[in-house]
Amino acid sequence: MRFHVYLFIMKKSLFTVLALSPLMLFAQDTPYKIRGKVGSFNSPAKVYLIYQNGAASVTDSAVVSNGNFSFQGAISEPSSGVMIMDPKGVGLDSLKSTSQPDVLMIYVDKGEYAIEGKDSLSTASIKGSKANTENKILNGRLKDLSAQFRALDAEYQAASAEQKGSQEFVGGLQGRLEKLQVRQKEILTQFVKENPESYVSVNSILSIAGRDPQFGEIDPLVKSLSPALQKASALQPLLMGMEASKKTSVGAMAMDFTQNDPNGKPVKLSDFKGKYVLLDFWASWCGPCRDENPNVVQAYNKFKDKNFTVLGVSLDRQNQRDAWLKAVKDDGLTWTQVSDLKFWNNEVARMYNIRSIPQNYLIDPSGKIVAVNLRGAALEQKLAEIL
């Protein structure tokens, strides 16, 4: 199992930038100018600035003279980006292999502002920028939590191979991670509510939404923003996806479907009405799914006699039928399994807008979705609560 820890809103790959919607809903581009002074670096040193401006990915560079550099341009709206110091002028591609590049996460904001650092970008301060000042406040609130995330990740990285293969050990870490993620959401949510006119709130909402945005959670936050920020281009892909997520959010009635089991027998979701059903999307080729299967097996065995069952939907390919059935047997998945073997084009997966796996929905006896993406100990805890 690969144990990932995700830190707060601006933690992303240094050399990739979020591809935002081409919609340009803000006003005309507004000029910006950044003046920097970091140490006493000289040529061939360079500083790179990477950010997104509407549909365009921007990579700019500036020469450094006695530590001084500057950037200027125009942006349609504030954009989170990254500034990278290249002290030896080796080029951006060569910096990719550097284990600890000198990096500053920054909002490219309108107007003029300054970056000042004694000897590195990573410890530099940003002065005169509203968005960066607000982001500093948020990062201050997240500081202790960030340290806990790093400590948890370090604990996993330092574990032995035997520990990493232990369901009990990994499950314990996963449970602690989920508690930290809940607290992170609480901090971000509070920030959004307190700062409806801050562009940092836009990125906070994107972080809260994650890969599986829940309409009931995200819609009120978006509506709490100022009218102008609700039109931010960064939000538009999320908002469009949210329309689809309404049908699969907690409180919605699960959409019925029919798909064949391995013997060609049609199975309907509504066949299980009257029971709690975990609708589980997975595949034999999906490592995280296979890592999660023992947790589902344990929960199934514990609650199968208490009006609970599982319905597995496999996203295996047409030529992977044997691998699918072998995984079912090897992992001890004794509940009903269905698939049309169409990979990501699985009809049920498309109906439920599945874009990553594992993913699951807990459905109550009336057919209503009562929980989403219960993993690790969270699944057993929820079942113990309701059964």
Side-chain angles (χ1 to χ4, degrees), residues 295-349:
N295 296 320
V296 183
V297 170
Q298 182 171 304
Y300 174 75
N301 289 334
K302 187 172 182 179
F303 293 99
K304 64 181 180 180
D305 296 326
K306 297 182 179 180
N307 205 37
F308 169 72
T309 191
V310 181
L311 175 58
V313 179
S314 169
L315 274 64
D316 278 287
R317 299 177 176 87
Q318 192 68 42
N319 62 356
Q320 291 179 318
R321 175 182 166 82
D322 290 345
W324 169 39
L325 298 181
K326 184 176 187 300
V328 169
K329 181 179 180 181
D330 290 349
D331 292 1
L333 312 184
T334 56
W335 50 84
T336 303
Q337 297 285 338
V338 299
S339 182
D340 58 12
L341 298 175
K342 292 182 179 180
F343 197 36
W344 290 106
N345 287 320
N346 181 292
E347 295 296 335
V348 182

Side-chain angles (χ1 to χ4, degrees), residues 19 28 30 46 52 64 76 79 87 102 118 121 153 157 161 164 175 182 196 207 213 245 248 273 276 288 301 351 356:
Q28 295 179 350
T30 304
K46 281 188 174 183
Q52 194 82 14
V64 185
S76 58
S79 175
D102 187 11
K118 183 177 180 180
L121 265 178
D153 190 44
Q157 299 302 333
K164 291 178 180 179
V182 168
S207 181
S245 78
T248 57
K273 196 167 185 178
Y276 280 93
N301 289 334
M351 177 187 293
S356 61

Side-chain angles (χ1 to χ4, degrees), residues 257-285:
F257 61 83
T258 302
Q259 199 156 93
N260 288 352
D261 70 8
N263 297 317
K265 178 184 175 182
V267 176
K268 288 184 178 181
L269 175 61
S270 55
D271 292 341
F272 300 89
K273 196 167 185 178
K275 288 189 173 186
Y276 280 93
V277 181
L278 186 74
L279 180 60
D280 185 34
F281 292 89
W282 74 292
S284 67
W285 47 263

